[in-house]
Amino acid sequence: MKSKYIFVIGGVMSGVGKGIATSSLGLILKTKGYKVNLVKADPYLNVDAGTMNPTEHGEVFVMKEGLETDQDMGNYERFLHQDIHQVNYMTSGMVYKTVIDKERSLGYKGKCVEAIPHVRDEIINRYKEAAKENKSDITIVEIGGTIGDFQNAMFMEAAKTMKLKDPKDVIVVVVSYLPTPGAIGEMKSKPTQSAIRELNGYGLHPDFIIARSEVALDDKRKEKISISCNVPKENVISAPDIKSIYDVPINFNKDKIGEAVLKALSLKNKKPDAESSKLWGDWENFVKNVHLNKTKTFRVAMIGKYFDSGDFTLMDSYLSVMEALKFAAAKAKVGVEIEWVDSKTIEKDQNILKDVFKRCHGLIVPGGFGTTGVDGILKSIEYVRKNKIPYLGICYGMQLAVIEYATNVLGLKGVNTTEIDKDCKHKVIDIMESQKENLVKLAMGGSMRLGSYRCKLARGSIVHDLYKSDEVIERHRHRYEVNNDYVDQLESKGMIFSGKSIDGKLMEMIELKKDKHPFFVGTQSHPEFLSRPTTSHPLFDGLIKGMMGK
Ligand code: GLN
């Protein structure tokens, strides 16, 4: 079967949950027994998201094959409960680079190369390639930005051309916003009407309007939007603000969006197979656990570096980590809260740590790069290690835990990572051999050790108990590694290297024995990227159990 396409486009303004609407629609269609594929077309000129500062663009999500992408891809994988291929992510930069490289190698055979048709056709190729690679029945493409942006015009053109060729196989969904201005006290549909008119200028018309608003749309409002925007009333979907993003699929389902979309795509409302029905049942259970009245709530301190623009940015930078904690807490039926701690405040006054850990039951040091805030992080790790407070170190968080141990337990002077001090005396964390040339050439884009790698776990270790497996696969994003020259010394003083690469050369996980510390685990990988709502991640489960005293 040829794939059908749904283009999701934002109207009025950004940040109203287009990505969550796309992911939710994907989940619903998947649980109706169709093979669904989610694609993101980002208007940036960056070739991938890897070189962007998280405070600029939120978290960099790493895909299985190693592409560094937008946090939306994380939501797609979490909602669909499946790995997504990297062909499903594109940026304007990626598209233009392909076209320009092709032109430079005479690929257009002397033709004048133009946005239309060449850039547009490259986009269409990518949409189709993503559908083919995933053998999907339905491909949902989320176009970044909103209607009327100059930057996403080519992505719209591509959608228009595809709809013109196969009108029955392509539908358009607009996620719009209906404001209720305080002084008027009434929900206004005018901005949405204007957005649709602007969309019409591209030669596109919505088949569905998902109306984001503070409160649910009443019948009268649906009628008004239907008439003024020329969309059937049953295709106007109400999407009011809700407590948790994970409620969205449940809400959409009440409006029967799945059935209506299948009808619009001339697809049958078939009986879902066992796997799809189970996925929906598991989702409902998970959401129930999210809203359960929790008898116990744990507070986790998260010491981060990306504080430049306030807490809000920080949350965005570590989105997957936060979600992973929520999933593990939902599974354990406990509440979880995060306290953001700016490591610079600890550098100024270490006594702050006492107060922080009066309130907090555990610590996560997530991934990071560079020098800022590192001293404060090292102090925090020392504090939780000595005071037996559960600790999970992710990537930089593992590397810094090794540095702290080498300094304070081995008693070495001048310990560091060569990322911070190239000439330090004890290069306990050092650049990976394969990365040296990249640094010299300043080849920084997409060149880290990226994507999925296998890791062997030592039997009898904490991580082996948690994963219940001899071998695991996790996603990675790093240039530096534990220097093997120090492994024996560290082990002789009680640090256990419980996870190693398949060839045994790269230290992937560390831990301290249970009788020394209730939970002290670090991983070179990013377990947060593989944590899913209905199957929380073993390492996050471990941290929660550690805080529960189990
Ligand atoms: N900066 C460290 C490295 O490159 C850790 C990276 C990370 O935390 N993702 O190895």
Side-chain angles (χ1 to χ4, degrees):
M1 184 178 121
K2 226 164 80 182
S3 180
K4 305 268 184 178
Y5 292 87
I6 303 173
F7 288 95
V8 181
I9 302 170
V12 180
M13 63 188 202
S14 63
V16 297
K18 181 158 48 82
I20 298 302
T22 306
S23 309
S24 302
L25 182 57
L27 171 66
I28 288 175
L29 295 173
K30 182 172 175 178
T31 56
K32 297 211 170 296
Y34 283 93
K35 213 161 181 298
V36 178
N37 185 31
L38 297 177
V39 174
K40 175 88 192 277
D42 251 342
Y44 314 99
L45 284 179
N46 302 60
V47 173
D48 58 42
T51 53
M52 274 190 262
N53 186 331
T55 54
E56 286 276 323
H57 188 65
E59 167 183 277
V60 176
F61 186 84
V62 182
M63 306 197 72
K64 175 164 90 176
E65 294 111 338
L67 187 71
E68 296 163 287
T69 65
D70 183 75
Q71 62 192 33
D72 276 318
M73 300 312 284
N75 282 324
Y76 294 175
E77 290 202 347
R78 287 189 280 269
F79 277 68
L80 281 192
H81 202 277
Q82 75 193 33
D83 288 356
I84 287 179
H85 289 291
Q86 62 187 25
V87 285
N88 288 26
Y89 184 72
M90 71 191 79
T91 67
S92 296
M94 218 184 257
V95 170
Y96 276 93
K97 190 169 182 299
T98 310
V99 171
I100 291 169
D101 286 349
K102 190 169 164 187
E103 183 272 327
R104 291 287 83 185
S105 57
L106 305 179
Y108 292 103
K109 301 197 167 67
K111 279 221 165 63
C112 172
V113 181
E114 298 190 82
I116 298 175
H118 301 105
V119 172
R120 178 201 63 196
D121 288 353
E122 171 58 28
I123 295 171
I124 294 177
N125 281 346
R126 283 171 182 263
Y127 290 161
K128 293 198 166 158
E129 200 48 46
K132 204 168 109 199
E133 174 119 9
N134 292 278
K135 297 192 189 66
S136 51
D137 305 320
I138 303 171
T139 301
I140 309 182
V141 181
E142 179 188 350
I143 298 181
T146 45
I147 298 166
D149 291 352
F150 172 76
Q151 291 96 317
N152 61 18
M154 280 304 120
F155 294 120
M156 301 282 202
E157 271 295 324
K160 179 191 84 179
T161 306
M162 286 175 73
K163 176 127 184 145
L164 183 72
K165 279 205 179 121
D166 297 301
K168 282 220 175 97
D169 291 341
V170 178
I171 63 168
V172 173
V173 175
V174 168
V175 181
S176 196
Y177 188 70
L178 285 100
T180 308
I184 304 174
E186 189 195 333
M187 198 187 278
K188 303 306 275 180
S189 62
K190 187 71 179 180
T192 298
Q193 294 178 40
S194 307
I196 302 303
R197 213 156 288 147
E198 198 159 1
L199 182 67
N200 291 158
Y202 288 103
L204 285 169
H205 190 74
D207 298 274
F208 287 82
I209 294 180
I210 293 177
R212 287 280 299 108
S213 53
E214 255 172 70
V215 291
L217 257 64
D218 54 15
D219 218 45
K220 202 172 137 210
R221 211 69 46 187
K222 280 193 179 176
E223 179 98 39
K224 171 114 190 259
I225 295 174
S226 162
I227 290 169
S228 58
C229 298
N230 200 19
V231 169
K233 191 167 140 203
E234 61 276 19
N235 291 3
V236 177
I237 310 294
S238 168
D241 290 349
I242 23 92
K243 272 210 203 122
S244 155
I245 53 170
Y246 303 108
D247 289 328
V248 176
I250 312 259
N251 264 7
F252 277 9
N253 212 32
K254 284 185 194 142
D255 258 3
K256 298 210 176 319
I257 190 173
E259 288 81 348
V261 165
L262 290 180
K263 194 172 142 204
L265 288 170
S266 322
L267 290 173
K268 276 201 296 273
N269 203 352
K270 60 180 182 183
K271 202 173 157 352
D273 55 17
E275 195 194 326
S276 328
S277 346
K278 180 176 179 309
L279 181 58
W280 187 251
D282 288 351
W283 189 272
E284 283 183 320
N285 262 340
F286 157 69
V287 172
K288 222 179 275 159
N289 283 345
V290 168
H291 294 301
L292 212 62
N293 263 337
K294 312 286 183 341
T295 46
K296 241 190 142 74
T297 292
F298 295 95
R299 218 175 152 80
V300 180
M302 191 117 123
I303 311 229
K305 298 159 50 69
Y306 303 113
F307 261 95
D308 338 14
S309 338
D311 291 9
F312 182 72
T313 317
L314 198 76
M315 287 195 256
D316 251 23
S317 310
Y318 298 119
L319 186 79
S320 294
V321 179
M322 286 172 51
E323 299 312 295
L325 259 179
K326 284 187 205 161
F327 306 154
K331 182 177 171 190
K333 296 192 170 50
V334 298
V336 70
E337 282 169 6
I338 294 170
E339 177 163 335
W340 304 99
V341 186
D342 183 348
S343 64
K344 279 173 248 144
T345 60
I346 300 162
E347 284 167 7
K348 275 189 214 125
D349 177 11
Q350 275 182 53
N351 288 322
I352 285 176
L353 284 168
K354 267 196 209 117
D355 290 337
V356 169
F357 290 103
K358 255 182 223 152
R359 296 185 295 270
C360 295
H361 310 90
L363 170 67
I364 290 185
V365 174
F369 297 84
T371 313
T372 18
V374 161
D375 287 342
I377 296 176
L378 288 170
K379 286 280 172 250
S380 318
I381 298 174
E382 182 182 357
Y383 188 90
V384 297
R385 184 178 56 75
K386 288 184 171 161
N387 290 286
K388 303 196 187 313
I389 295 162
Y391 175 68
L392 178 62
I394 298 176
C395 206
Y396 215 17
M398 167 182 139
Q399 296 176 355
L400 296 175
V402 176
I403 291 178
E404 190 277 325
Y405 210 78
T407 309
N408 297 321
V409 181
L410 264 54
L412 300 177
K413 299 248 167 336
V415 176
N416 217 331
T417 159
T418 50
E419 177 172 358
I420 295 178
D421 182 0
K422 272 206 307 291
D423 306 312
C424 60
K425 182 150 180 238
H426 294 289
K427 302 176 173 63
V428 168
I429 305 295
D430 203 0
I431 185 81
M432 301 175 73
E433 194 53 44
S434 54
Q435 289 290 332
K436 286 186 177 157
E437 210 180 310
N438 290 332
L439 283 198
V440 175
K441 285 197 205 145
L442 215 74
M444 304 307 256
S447 65
M448 282 186 245
R449 180 172 180 254
L450 291 166
S452 293
Y453 285 92
R454 287 155 64 203
C455 162
K456 270 187 317 200
L457 303 180
R459 294 226 168 130
S461 62
I462 297 173
V463 290
H464 191 279
D465 277 0
L466 288 169
Y467 279 101
K468 296 187 178 44
S469 173
D470 292 340
E471 200 186 303
V472 293
I473 294 177
E474 290 286 0
R475 303 222 179 136
H476 292 72
R477 183 173 187 245
H478 63 118
R479 276 187 217 287
Y480 296 81
E481 62 173 333
V482 173
N483 181 344
N484 289 343
D485 293 347
Y486 291 89
V487 167
D488 287 348
Q489 271 188 79
L490 287 158
E491 271 181 339
S492 70
K493 290 281 184 196
M495 177 158 273
I496 300 166
F497 291 89
S498 47
K500 292 182 185 167
S501 57
I502 297 301
D503 62 7
K505 287 188 182 148
L506 193 130
M507 300 302 122
E508 287 273 16
M509 294 193 199
I510 58 155
E511 61 188 67
L512 296 181
K513 265 218 156 74
K514 263 242 146 69
D515 55 8
K516 282 220 183 92
H517 196 286
F519 185 82
F520 193 96
V521 170
T523 171
Q524 186 57 79
S525 69
H526 286 275
E528 69 271 26
F529 293 150
L530 284 183
S531 173
R532 308 261 161 89
T534 57
T535 50
S536 67
H537 192 285
L539 296 185
F540 286 89
D541 291 344
L543 178 69
I544 297 273
K545 280 187 199 153
M547 293 192 296
M548 291 168 81
K550 284 190 180 169

